[in-house]
Amino acid sequence: MEFFFEVLIGGLLAGVMYSLVAIGFVLIYKASGVFNFAQGAMVLFAALTFVSLLERGVPFWAAFAVTLALMVALALLIERAVLRPLVNRSPITLFMATLGLSYVIEGAAQALWGAQVHGLELGISDEPLELGGLLLSQFDLFAAATAAVLVIALSLLFNRTRIGLALRAVADDPLAAQAVGVRLQRVWAVVWAVAGFVGLVAGLLWGARLGVQFSLSLVVLKALPVLIIGGFTSVSGAIVGGLLVGASEKLAEVYLGPWIGGGLENWFPYVLALLFLLVRPAGLFGERAIERV
Amino acid sequence: MILQVDDIEVLYEQVILAVRNVSLAVGEGQVVALLGANGAGKSTSLKAIAGLVRAERGEVVRGRILYQGEEVTRRAPQALAARGLVQVLEGRHCFAHLSVEENLLAGAFARPRVSRAQLREELERIYAWFPRLKTRRRSLAGYTSGGEQQMVAIGRALISRPRLVLLDEPSMGLAPQIVEEIFEIVAALNREEGVSFLIAEQNIEVALRHAHHAYVLESGRVVDQGPAQEIARREDLHAFYLGGQAAQG
């Protein structure tokens, strides 16, 4: 039984890592109805910039601040150069634009900092910690705490600030928001900047885990089932979706693996997502339209 | 003249002709009715004025729009809202997942840089006009009645103290009593705060009773205009709404 709980909690904590990536998608999807394929590239860009600065002797927090500033600048640039000219186009046009954007950002990151693999040390040891008789990874606990802080900060931003109100208005009804004078461009710039910040946090944690390298941008693919299960429009959905994916893939690997062969955890989340699509296409927390009869 | 529209033509998706020839004017402090059947081009005309046609892949391809004497054709809706021209969309378009109060506050984005104290004050002003909204301030707008949603939509537009409000089909789907109540408030706002209104309506009778001047639209053209009382006496007016003549246009 102890072993079961260790696997379960280990899985839940690993799931938080997926949630971190998924939150970036949710932000942009909420505000503009666009699935931002470039989120993974932003994660890579942030991590690569940060680690390269660190290797050049820049202190930790300075590197963090510079990278954050760069992510915000990138967001403003994207809004101005890509989104603004495409405003009022169909979502598929914008999706294609983000697809192109992801290659541009990946290319730029590697042209700037090179393509070699970097190790990233955040100063948190990955040694197991014994808590109440269970062995848990310190690093995973740290990641979970970071995610919790992030979610609280985001919910304060959404529900307690003026820009948050503008953001929710745009997410709810973009035409009406424009009609009453909400500046769509500014909301988009803010959302992309916040998504850039989330990308930076995700990039640091994932980079520390996997090493900072090109394949970091492929974490988008892991975020997909999380989004389908949790719903594209809800930050808490992204968290719950991540936990579900993390826990189920680890449990499946450990308990089903011996029966149907290992490597289960690579495809199990997608099967789960497929089932959700059949039963609950809006996801667990996806916003369904309020309709009066 | 607070608003002057000179011979505009509006195309959607570069091919669909929605408005072919509309000219109209709204005087300072006037309530003007824009009448016509479904598809006559009322909504498109309003959206062209407010700069919202572009959000629906439309474009003003000819003519010009003057607001307070300045050309504003193809101006962004936010820029117009900041200068006191806002639109209340057809079908109300409340932010369904936001509370009534949040809906109203969202309207204040039209005017940048307002303090919290000012916001409270404006909010109380709107609640004074629509007391019913105050009792429902914490409810999600999506769960309020049609009449309340219309009040939210109008209140949301008024919170930024606009000079000209474009009201699209305020009577849609509402009980006659509620329609009357809403038009009374609009008339009072016009009298007491001097707000000008351009109202697109299918409910001619109510609209003409509260308007100073009226235009009649058919197949994207202005086919008749005059003082509201005069238009109300025309006997052929109802024919426009039965679609008999519109079909030939």
Side-chain angles (χ1 to χ4, degrees):
Chain A
M1 207 56 204
E2 210 163 86
F3 177 65
F4 169 82
F5 278 113
E6 260 175 34
V7 174
L8 177 68
I9 294 173
L12 289 174
L13 291 173
V16 171
M17 295 282 285
Y18 301 143
S19 302
L20 275 174
V21 181
I23 288 171
F25 285 98
V26 168
L27 289 172
I28 288 175
Y29 188 84
K30 256 177 103 77
S32 51
V34 174
F35 179 79
N36 172 26
F37 199 83
Q39 186 69 31
M42 282 160 72
V43 169
L44 171 71
F45 184 88
L48 203 53
T49 305
F50 179 80
V51 80
S52 303
L53 288 171
L54 222 52
E55 282 169 7
R56 280 164 182 71
V58 181
F60 186 93
W61 287 110
F64 188 85
V66 170
T67 310
L68 182 57
L70 215 59
M71 293 310 286
V72 172
L74 184 68
L76 297 179
L77 188 71
I78 290 171
E79 192 277 315
R80 185 59 64 93
V82 181
L83 301 176
R84 197 173 292 188
L86 291 179
V87 73
N88 301 329
R89 295 296 182 80
S90 63
I92 190 72
T93 309
L94 283 162
F95 171 70
M96 294 308 284
T98 67
L99 195 61
L101 198 59
S102 74
Y103 285 98
V104 174
I105 297 175
E106 277 166 18
Q110 294 182 48
L112 215 58
W113 304 115
Q116 57 283 47
V117 179
H118 302 260
L120 175 58
E121 190 51 63
L122 292 178
I124 305 133
S125 70
D126 211 351
E127 275 155 33
L129 195 72
E130 204 180 317
L131 269 182
L134 300 173
L135 284 177
L136 299 172
S137 150
Q138 260 184 52
F139 184 84
D140 283 347
L141 287 172
F142 175 76
T146 309
V149 171
L150 198 65
V151 168
I152 292 168
L154 286 177
S155 98
L156 287 177
L157 175 75
F158 282 142
N159 296 310
R160 292 273 179 277
T161 66
R162 293 277 292 154
I163 190 75
L165 179 61
L167 213 145
R168 284 183 295 142
V170 169
D172 203 294
D173 191 331
L175 188 66
Q178 288 188 72
V180 295
V182 174
R183 285 162 186 75
L184 206 55
Q185 283 89 359
R186 189 180 297 176
V187 170
W188 282 8
V190 168
V191 163
W192 278 74
V194 175
F197 171 67
V198 174
L200 169 59
V201 174
L204 294 191
L205 291 172
W206 275 98
R209 158 99 3 128
L210 301 176
V212 177
Q213 53 180 321
F214 179 74
S215 69
L216 212 51
S217 65
L218 296 180
V219 293
V220 271
L221 298 178
K222 269 289 186 187
L224 260 178
V226 174
L227 290 166
I228 291 170
I229 292 169
F232 276 85
T233 51
S234 160
V235 171
S236 32
I239 293 289
V240 175
L243 294 177
L244 269 173
V245 165
S248 62
E249 69 175 18
K250 292 289 183 292
L251 288 174
E253 179 73 46
V254 170
Y255 290 99
L256 292 178
W259 297 90
I260 50 177
L264 209 59
E265 64 177 315
N266 290 323
W267 54 262
F268 192 77
Y270 298 97
V271 175
L272 203 63
L274 210 60
L275 291 176
F276 262 87
L277 277 180
L278 293 173
V279 181
R280 207 181 163 94
L284 284 175
F285 291 80
E287 226 160 56
R288 271 145 297 167
I290 297 181
E291 268 175 50
R292 290 170 35 82
V293 202
Chain B
M1 286 298 143
I2 190 164
L3 177 75
Q4 196 182 334
V5 177
D6 288 337
D7 192 24
I8 56 166
E9 182 178 307
V10 183
L11 278 181
Y12 279 118
E13 312 253 3
Q14 282 147 37
V15 282
I16 305 157
L17 185 61
V19 162
R20 50 180 100 210
N21 186 331
V22 167
S23 297
L24 57 86
V26 178
E28 190 82 50
Q30 263 192 333
V31 176
V32 173
L34 196 56
L35 310 173
N38 255 336
K42 304 187 299 289
S43 288
T44 302
S45 300
L46 293 193
K47 283 183 197 154
I49 296 167
L52 285 168
V53 278
R54 298 180 76 182
E56 297 186 324
R57 275 159 261 171
E59 187 88 53
V60 179
V61 290
R62 199 193 61 224
R64 54 181 205 150
I65 298 161
L66 298 170
Y67 172 65
Q68 292 179 330
E70 189 191 324
E71 172 151 9
V72 294
T73 328
R74 289 177 282 271
R75 188 77 61 91
Q78 302 89 309
L80 290 166
R83 297 201 41 197
L85 192 168
V86 291
Q87 172 161 11
V88 178
L89 293 161
E90 178 179 9
R92 310 184 265 276
H93 279 266
C94 290
F95 302 124
H97 299 94
L98 270 58
S99 73
V100 165
E101 188 153 302
E102 285 173 332
N103 263 273
L104 296 176
L105 288 172
F109 285 111
R111 270 201 319 176
R113 276 177 279 287
V114 273
S115 68
R116 270 179 189 277
Q118 263 173 310
L119 271 181
R120 279 259 48 104
E121 221 170 87
E122 297 296 331
L123 210 50
E124 286 309 319
R125 188 180 121 249
I126 299 300
Y127 286 143
W129 283 108
F130 302 100
R132 227 200 284 189
L133 295 186
K134 191 161 189 176
T135 61
R136 307 226 48 186
R137 61 207 283 182
R138 303 259 170 259
S139 324
L140 287 191
Y143 291 124
T144 59
S145 74
E148 286 161 347
Q149 288 189 8
Q150 187 64 63
M151 292 177 189
V152 168
I154 296 175
R156 187 176 63 186
L158 285 168
I159 200 162
S160 61
R161 290 193 179 267
R163 297 314 302 154
L164 173 63
V165 176
L166 313 177
L167 257 183
D168 197 351
E169 214 71 65
S171 76
M172 195 170 89
L174 300 182
Q177 214 179 336
I178 310 282
V179 173
E180 198 54 50
E181 189 181 336
I182 283 172
F183 269 89
E184 292 293 343
I185 295 174
V186 165
L189 276 160
N190 170 253
R191 271 196 314 273
E192 289 166 35
E193 293 194 6
V195 187
S196 308
F197 285 91
L198 176 59
I199 309 177
E201 253 306 340
Q202 292 199 53
N203 189 336
I204 8 176
E205 190 266 328
V206 187
L208 286 176
R209 201 143 35 79
H210 291 95
H212 301 111
H213 201 87
Y215 291 83
V216 181
L217 247 60
E218 191 202 272
S219 312
R221 289 194 183 87
V222 173
V223 292
D224 198 2
Q225 61 156 310
Q229 288 166 337
E230 227 171 82
I231 295 277
R233 282 198 292 273
R234 305 257 163 94
E235 288 186 355
D236 59 351
L237 192 62
H238 285 79
F240 291 118
Y241 299 92
L242 298 172
Q245 299 185 24
Q248 293 158 24

